[in-house]
Amino acid sequence: MKKGYYLITIFSLLCSIASAQDKKAPAYPLITHNTYFSIWSFTNDLNASTTKHWTGKDQSLLGLIKVDGTAYRFMGKEPKEYKTILPAADEKPYQCKYTETGPTGNWTDLPYNDSNWKTGTAPFSDDKTKAKTLWTSKNIWVRRTFTINDLNIDKLVLKIFHDDNVEVYLNGKEVYNFEGWVSDFKLVSLKDKFKNKLKKGENVLAIHCANTAGGAWLDAGLVDEVKAKAGPVLLARQKSVDINATQTIYNFECVGIDLAVIFTSPLLMNDLNIFSRPVSYISYVVRANDGRNHSVQVFFSTSTTLAVNNPLQPVITQKYATPVLSILKAGTVEQPVLQKKGDDLRIDWGYVYVAAPKSSGANQYISTQVNAANSFIDNKQGPAPKQGKQLALNTVLNFGNVGAGAKEKFIELGYDDLYSVQYFKRNLKPWWKLNRKATIENELSKAAAGYTSVMQKCDKFNKAMYNDAVKAGGKNYGYLCVLAYRESIAAHQLVKSPKGEILFLSKENFSNGSINTVDVTYPSAPLYLLYNPRLLQGMLNGIYHYCESRMWENKFAAHDLGTYPMANGQTYPANMPVEESGNMIILTAAIAKAEGNARYARRHWKTLSTWVDFLDKAGFDPSSQLCTDDFAGHLARNANLSIKAIVAIGAYAALADELGYRSVAVKYREIAKAMVAKWMKMADAGDHYSLVFERPDTWSQKYNLVWDKVLKLNLFPAKVYKTEVNYYLTKQNPFGLPLDSRKTYTKSDWILWTATLADNQNDFQTLSNPVYKYATETSSHVPLSDWHETTDGKQVGFQARSVVGGYFMKLLDSKWQQ
């Protein structure tokens, strides 16, 4: 198929999208490859906000178009410029006075006598590895005197990182207070009346911070938000946005020109070479909308914040070329490879790349981030900085004269992380580097050469996946699967172990930052069982390796492999013995179902047998322990967790039968069936089954039951399914079915599993449609959260997590029941 034909197809698709009704999303995926290379728009209009990393930190992609010399912004916003007045510790070490005993008198005033206070260096924290001054008490009072000579400040901004509650005073006047904590620096714009409290000469910033629970942290400074100097630019009118499995497509209108912007992350699971390649396409299609010809240029600017954890980290840049590509590159000066671990972090090693085919005639150059837009608007590039902070990699595509015929050009955005994770003290390169001769330049070149072919493959997959999901659960369900696809995949990294095994390692995003958490793999599994069970093996292999080594001495499965990106052994402080053992057995059985054989189970049969015997002894009536819903706390006699143990024992029996171990299969199936009969009595609450055994006043979603249906184990009678579904239909709130009787919040992945228990489409859609309502109407504009409140549709916690792969459970069941 020729490129011209593909262009016609693309534009006809765009026209049909433009005429369709927009479907909203909590946030819109733009560049999605792994947990470090994941950029989103947090607003419905692409040009209404700065694009962000999934954590919410700015990672600016800026897009402008010139039509006959008039500039329009269609993507992102011009970044704000800040000038440091009083540096925080992330910029420069500083000392101040502090006390952990409540002070008397006017301690916030400049003339206060603090000579009896201690002297300490910020930051103050209870984290011994990061604190410059250790703070382990409940309260701390800090006084920082400083001298300022220039009062020419546009807007005074407080820069503060606090955990927990904080009160801030400037020269005796309270300028800010907040109950709660933040996980990084927060910029707080202060009113002009507070700016006027600053004096030429000596001033004091006084802070009280109270640690109410958990960690402790305090660090603060002051910055000036410099007044913007942007040139004349209009806003392009966004006509539509459409999301499919691998693409997000925007349509804009300017005077005389229509512009389509297509973000494609080709996450095609049937081709791991393309799937693992850390390169996305940004395509631009332009055509006249008024029957006239127009001069058109498109500008794309990538901030170097894509390659830093902290925007103040210095970077180096480079402009160079290969025989077929023009390339811009940026990365930190420091290059601290795999030196940081945790949740709310961005990568600060490796390099970001912007590439354009030489055939496109692209003009590439480097500027400061704050001057990027004006460099295009005013046609003044200026000297290219090779090193600095907050720089920009800029590309101009000249479309020439554009008439009624559509013209298309694309650029590539890529990231080479050098090493992706540490796995039991070995630093592992990403999957695409398995060939020792692999380079990011070669990957960019292959992506450019294969552009038309890859786009066709994406288009084919997008349509097939959506149509299959609609057939299984309806249009609303199909859209939920579309929203989940890239989000789930981008919460992982694909590597190969030193033993040569595939590893597809998740990060527990905005939860605790664990790597390869088993009870994150468990809800994620349906997506990967459908499209490449080998990837699910990659989610289990590390856990099997760990549990089969001398590092793990328990008779049940581990919870995780560490804190991302360091997979050196479990770091979660509590075990989930029934939860994780049941998960591992069930998922191993699901892999056997997907692959049509139990060879994978045979490799780990001894371990599976140890775990099933543990569940036989401790799984039916669980003692007080955590399950995957650990945010709800410890719970004893959990009837849903008991189901997991029963189904796992039944799944083990099915595996034994597949492997020819007939007597073992009979034994464990009888055990499982006996447990079912007992379970039905102990959980019986009349019109439903209880959350807690022998507590009929409780109820819960029995989402673990779905594997009995999907794997066709036939352990539980249809009566249990029907009773529960009928009861759930009476318990719904506007934005979904609560998780259980304790709270009104829910987990949307579990709702889709619970809805799959229904024996008819009407009941399935009645239970699943409120999740669609949540996804399209929530006021929480972050990458789709799986934990939300059913009364108002607001996020409770979590975002951008792998577990939304669980939305595919209905489709998996539909495929496997055929």
Side-chain angles (χ1 to χ4, degrees):
M1 185 180 292
K2 295 182 179 180
K3 183 176 178 180
Y5 178 82
Y6 179 70
L7 178 58
I8 294 170
T9 303
I10 275 284
F11 220 91
S12 63
L13 169 66
L14 300 177
C15 292
S16 66
I17 290 169
S19 64
Q21 184 177 1
D22 265 352
K23 288 183 178 177
K24 299 294 190 292
Y28 298 81
L30 306 178
I31 309 295
T32 47
H33 289 275
N34 56 62
T35 186
Y36 287 135
F37 194 28
S38 179
I39 307 170
W40 299 68
S41 173
F42 281 42
T43 49
N44 291 326
D45 287 340
L46 183 60
N47 55 12
S49 66
T50 302
T51 59
K52 300 177 185 294
H53 185 256
W54 70 260
T55 56
K57 297 298 188 296
D58 287 355
Q59 289 193 335
S60 175
L61 304 179
L62 183 65
L64 303 175
I65 182 173
K66 269 186 188 176
V67 180
D68 299 329
T70 300
Y72 301 81
R73 175 164 49 82
F74 60 83
M75 174 167 57
K77 294 184 75 171
E78 293 83 353
K80 295 178 180 179
E81 181 182 7
Y82 296 98
K83 184 172 66 175
T84 298
I85 299 171
L86 183 65
D90 65 329
E91 294 182 64
K92 184 179 178 181
Y94 67 87
Q95 288 190 329
C96 52
K97 292 289 190 175
Y98 77 96
T99 180
E100 294 172 85
T101 304
T104 58
N106 297 324
W107 67 276
T108 65
D109 290 346
L110 179 61
Y112 183 78
N113 182 6
D114 57 15
S115 59
N116 291 327
W117 289 28
K118 299 175 185 177
T119 300
T121 302
F124 298 86
S125 177
D126 62 346
D127 186 339
K128 294 180 181 179
T129 65
K130 297 178 180 179
K132 294 297 184 183
T133 300
L134 196 63
W135 166 37
T136 58
S137 62
K138 288 293 184 183
N139 290 276
I140 191 169
W141 290 260
V142 171
R143 285 174 50 85
R144 183 182 180 187
T145 56
F146 62 98
T147 299
I148 185 169
N149 295 315
D150 184 3
L151 294 178
N152 184 23
I153 297 169
D154 289 331
K155 181 181 286 186
L156 185 62
V157 176
L158 172 68
K159 175 182 175 180
I160 188 163
F161 185 170
H162 62 90
D163 187 356
D164 295 289
N165 305 344
V166 71
E167 305 154 21
V168 183
Y169 303 84
L170 179 60
N171 291 334
K173 182 70 174 180
E174 183 180 283
V175 297
Y176 178 67
N177 68 75
F178 185 84
E179 289 191 8
W181 55 276
V182 294
S183 59
D184 203 345
F185 283 102
K186 179 179 182 180
L187 296 178
V188 182
S189 296
L190 302 180
K191 296 178 180 178
D192 284 343
K193 66 178 181 179
F194 298 140
K195 180 178 73 172
N196 296 334
K197 294 295 292 183
L198 279 175
K199 301 183 298 182
K200 191 170 185 178
E202 194 172 40
N203 297 264
V204 65
L205 188 68
I207 306 174
H208 169 223
C209 190
N211 179 28
T212 59
W217 194 280
L218 181 60
D219 185 14
L222 296 171
V223 298
D224 177 15
E225 183 183 317
V226 180
K227 189 174 181 180
K229 301 173 184 177
V233 61
L234 303 174
L235 283 183
R237 185 177 73 86
Q238 183 174 308
K239 297 194 294 182
S240 67
V241 56
D242 184 72
I243 303 174
N244 56 46
T246 64
Q247 295 174 314
T248 301
I249 303 170
Y250 292 90
N251 277 277
F252 297 93
E253 182 180 44
C254 307
V255 174
I257 288 290
D258 286 337
L259 166 69
V261 184
I262 306 113
F263 296 87
T264 305
S265 295
L267 302 177
L268 301 169
M269 284 189 252
N270 65 345
D271 186 335
L272 293 187
N273 291 325
I274 295 175
F275 178 82
S276 65
R277 183 188 295 156
V279 178
S280 279
Y281 303 107
I282 305 174
S283 308
Y284 305 95
V285 184
V286 294
R287 71 171 181 180
N289 57 28
D290 61 359
R292 301 169 57 192
N293 286 345
H294 300 275
S295 173
V296 176
Q297 291 177 304
V298 169
F299 172 78
F300 173 73
S301 180
T302 300
S303 169
T304 56
T305 53
L306 270 69
V308 302
N309 178 53
N310 182 320
L312 296 174
Q313 289 177 273
V315 298
I316 53 174
T317 63
Q318 183 182 358
K319 177 184 176 182
Y320 65 106
T322 71
V324 296
L325 295 174
S326 174
I327 301 175
L328 298 174
K329 169 185 177 181
T332 58
V333 173
E334 183 185 7
Q335 288 297 306
V337 177
L338 295 171
Q339 294 300 302
K340 295 180 178 69
K341 62 179 180 179
D343 193 359
D344 189 2
L345 293 174
R346 285 129 313 270
I347 194 168
D348 59 1
W349 68 90
Y351 299 90
V352 60
Y353 293 79
V354 181
K358 283 186 174 179
S359 60
S360 69
N363 174 29
Q364 291 194 302
Y365 61 96
I366 300 162
S367 71
T368 61
Q369 184 176 309
V370 73
N371 290 327
N374 281 349
S375 71
F376 173 66
I377 295 168
D378 299 333
N379 295 312
K380 294 180 180 179
Q381 295 182 15
K386 294 183 178 180
Q387 185 170 327
K389 300 174 183 177
Q390 299 183 40
L391 304 182
L393 308 180
N394 307 309
T395 302
V396 178
L397 298 173
N398 190 348
F399 286 81
N401 285 323
V402 177
K407 290 187 177 182
E408 177 187 15
K409 293 179 184 285
F410 70 91
I411 62 171
E412 299 172 328
L413 191 61
Y415 204 100
D416 181 0
D417 60 3
L418 306 179
Y419 289 91
S420 299
V421 299
Q422 186 174 102
Y423 184 74
F424 298 105
K425 306 302 182 182
R426 293 275 299 273
N427 291 352
L428 302 185
K429 293 181 179 181
W431 183 273
W432 63 269
K433 282 190 171 182
L434 293 181
N435 182 337
R436 293 183 180 182
K437 295 182 180 180
T439 66
I440 189 65
E441 289 82 4
N442 286 341
E443 294 302 306
L444 291 165
S445 296
K446 285 189 287 186
Y451 174 74
T452 301
S453 172
V454 170
M455 295 293 272
Q456 290 168 358
K457 290 176 182 178
C458 287
D459 183 53
K460 181 179 179 181
F461 175 75
N462 296 337
K463 291 174 180 176
M465 193 218 77
Y466 177 69
N467 290 337
D468 286 346
V470 170
K471 183 178 178 181
K475 288 186 177 180
N476 290 351
Y477 174 68
Y479 187 62
L480 288 173
C481 290
V482 164
L483 293 181
Y485 187 82
R486 274 177 284 168
E487 177 169 323
S488 179
I489 294 170
H492 298 84
Q493 179 60 293
L494 184 64
V495 295
K496 181 174 279 190
S497 79
K499 293 167 56 178
E501 292 185 320
I502 187 173
L503 297 172
F504 193 47
L505 303 175
S506 65
K507 180 176 180 179
E508 199 168 340
N509 290 342
F510 269 17
S511 177
N512 66 353
S514 289
I515 186 170
N516 205 194
T517 303
V518 177
D519 61 284
V520 168
T521 296
Y522 178 68
S524 308
L527 172 59
Y528 306 98
L529 287 165
L530 276 164
Y531 297 113
N532 192 340
R534 191 180 174 204
L535 290 171
L536 183 55
Q537 287 188 25
M539 299 158 81
L540 304 188
N541 283 337
I543 298 295
Y544 274 123
H545 171 75
Y546 182 46
C547 292
E548 291 169 354
S549 74
R550 295 179 180 179
M551 294 177 284
W552 185 256
E553 297 179 349
N554 297 300
K555 299 297 185 183
F556 48 79
H559 171 271
D560 62 80
L561 290 186
T563 301
Y564 201 95
M566 313 300 281
N568 294 321
Q570 180 172 317
T571 53
Y572 190 70
N575 290 311
M576 299 184 187
V578 174
E579 174 71 38
E580 311 302 21
S581 301
N583 291 342
M584 290 295 291
I585 295 171
I586 291 169
L587 295 181
T588 302
I591 289 171
K593 172 83 171 176
E595 296 184 336
N597 64 77
R599 285 193 292 268
Y600 185 68
R602 189 188 298 276
R603 286 164 45 191
H604 303 289
W605 192 248
K606 182 178 178 181
T607 304
L608 290 165
S609 299
T610 298
W611 291 339
V612 81
D613 285 340
F614 171 80
L615 293 179
D616 182 23
K617 295 180 178 68
F620 172 72
D621 193 353
S623 60
S624 180
Q625 60 190 274
L626 295 173
C627 70
T628 184
D629 305 316
D630 53 354
F631 51 83
H634 285 71
L635 185 66
R637 315 201 73 195
N638 183 336
N640 187 45
L641 188 58
S642 176
I643 290 175
K644 179 167 290 182
I646 296 168
V647 171
I649 293 169
Y652 176 86
L655 287 170
D657 190 57
E658 179 74 20
L659 291 170
Y661 307 145
R662 307 300 181 204
S663 61
V664 175
V666 171
K667 173 186 173 181
Y668 283 95
R669 181 162 181 83
E670 288 178 352
I671 290 171
K673 290 292 287 184
M675 285 182 174
V676 169
K678 191 176 179 182
W679 185 94
M680 291 178 65
K681 292 180 181 178
M682 293 173 62
D684 187 8
D687 59 353
H688 69 283
Y689 294 93
S690 58
L691 161 68
V692 178
F693 280 142
E694 298 175 337
R695 282 280 309 276
D697 58 326
T698 65
W699 66 273
S700 66
Q701 292 188 46
K702 305 302 189 300
Y703 53 81
N704 287 320
L705 188 59
V706 75
W707 290 107
D708 182 47
K709 179 182 182 183
V710 173
L711 295 175
K712 298 183 180 179
L713 299 176
N714 300 316
L715 298 170
F716 287 80
K719 172 190 174 184
V720 174
Y721 291 77
K722 192 67 176 176
T723 299
E724 284 292 278
V725 169
N726 287 343
Y727 189 76
Y728 299 148
L729 293 171
T730 71
K731 291 295 180 181
Q732 294 214 97
N733 286 328
F735 293 93
L737 178 68
L739 181 65
D740 57 47
S741 52
R742 291 174 290 180
K743 300 280 186 178
T744 55
Y745 59 52
T746 195
K747 290 280 274 83
S748 55
D749 47 344
W750 297 149
I751 290 181
L752 271 298
W753 287 30
T754 296
T756 303
L757 300 176
D759 61 5
N760 63 84
Q761 194 76 308
N762 183 64
D763 286 350
F764 171 80
Q765 292 183 358
T766 301
L767 289 167
S768 62
N769 280 342
V771 178
Y772 173 85
K773 178 180 173 69
Y774 153 68
T776 55
E777 297 181 17
T778 180
S779 60
S780 300
H781 293 292
V782 299
L784 185 61
S785 169
D786 53 288
W787 182 18
H788 73 271
E789 176 54 59
T790 62
T791 57
D792 60 16
K794 292 182 179 179
Q795 174 193 29
V796 177
F798 307 154
Q799 65 193 52
R801 300 210 310 161
S802 167
V803 303
V804 294
Y807 286 12
F808 285 80
M809 181 59 87
K810 176 63 174 177
L811 179 54
L812 179 68
D813 179 58
S814 176
K815 292 282 188 181
W816 283 6
Q817 298 301 328
Q818 290 176 2

